[in-house]
């Protein structure tokens, strides 16, 4: 059985939180407990929360055996682009995407998407703490 793991980025604290205990209601995370400075804190979540971004582990590790989560930014060996890991609701799988030109002479950018499983990936950050990487 695959292990369910999550992490959450707290916008105001500007900190990544690792849940040590999740509270569920109707299969939704309503609260989690996290350890900060040797103290356990409860973080409550409702549907309107925009200050807390929950990311799920994809069950895939990069080439350095670092866990890859939805919202991570990755690079792969043969391309210098930065790609975002996201969950594709239509295909029910984690994929990577980036915006760019398919060919250098193209006038418009397009979204390019690939399956995540078969690539030689390196995690370089995430979309919350390292948003500046998406502009490169």
């Amino acid at each position: 059985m695959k292990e369910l793991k999550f992490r959450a980025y707290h916008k105001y604290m500007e900190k990544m939180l690792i849940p040590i205990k999740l509270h569920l209601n109707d299969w939704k995370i309503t609260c989690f407990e996290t350890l900060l400075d040797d103290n356990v804190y409860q973080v409550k979540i409702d549907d309107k929360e925009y200050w807390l971004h929950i990311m799920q582990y994809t069950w895939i590790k990069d080439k350095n055996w670092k866990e890859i989560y939805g919202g991570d930014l990755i690079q792969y060996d043969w391309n210098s682009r930065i790609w975002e890991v996201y969950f594709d609701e239509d295909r029910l799988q984690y994929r990577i995407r980036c915006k760019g030109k398919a060919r250098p002479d193209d006038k418009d950018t397009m979204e390019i998407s690939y399956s995540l499983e078969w690539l030689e990936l390196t995690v370089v950050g995430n979309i919350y703490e390292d948003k500046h990487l998406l502009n490169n």
Side-chain angles (χ1 to χ4, degrees):
M1 179 179 221
K2 292 184 178 181
E3 180 181 14
L4 292 178
K5 288 184 177 182
F6 297 91
R7 67 182 187 195
Y9 180 72
H10 195 291
K11 181 178 176 180
Y12 297 120
M13 292 174 62
E14 296 182 342
K15 190 174 248 186
M16 195 65 71
L17 306 174
I18 307 299
I20 56 175
K21 185 176 183 181
L22 296 173
H23 300 269
L24 301 173
N25 186 9
D26 291 330
W27 293 99
K28 288 185 179 181
I29 300 172
T30 57
C31 179
F32 69 84
E33 294 174 14
T34 189
L35 191 62
L36 285 174
D37 303 322
D38 296 326
N39 294 309
V40 175
Y41 291 92
Q42 271 197 352
V43 180
K44 295 190 184 212
I45 304 165
D46 66 36
D47 292 335
K48 298 173 188 140
E49 301 300 348
Y50 61 90
W51 51 268
L52 193 69
H53 304 280
I54 302 217
M55 294 161 268
Q56 186 174 353
Y57 176 46
T58 64
W59 304 293
I60 299 169
K61 295 184 180 182
D62 75 359
K63 68 179 188 176
N64 300 314
W65 291 97
K66 184 174 181 178
E67 294 175 343
I68 299 175
Y69 285 78
D72 276 348
L73 298 175
I74 56 98
Q75 232 175 353
Y76 53 96
D77 291 343
W78 55 273
N79 188 312
S80 62
R81 284 186 171 171
I82 302 294
W83 298 76
E84 175 191 349
V85 178
Y86 74 102
F87 187 75
D88 186 323
E89 296 281 340
D90 296 329
R91 292 184 174 103
L92 298 176
Q93 69 178 173
Y94 281 97
R95 297 177 64 81
I96 58 171
R97 66 180 167 204
C98 78
K99 291 186 179 175
K101 296 181 178 183
R103 294 182 305 274
D105 58 337
D106 283 348
K107 292 181 182 174
D108 296 321
T109 61
M110 59 183 283
E111 186 171 292
I112 305 164
S113 174
Y114 291 108
S115 179
L116 185 62
E117 285 84 9
W118 56 272
L119 301 170
E120 283 287 316
L121 308 171
T122 304
V123 175
V124 295
N126 65 69
I127 61 174
Y128 305 107
E129 295 174 306
D130 305 291
K131 201 171 251 190
H132 63 280
L133 292 175
L134 291 173
N135 298 328
N136 296 338

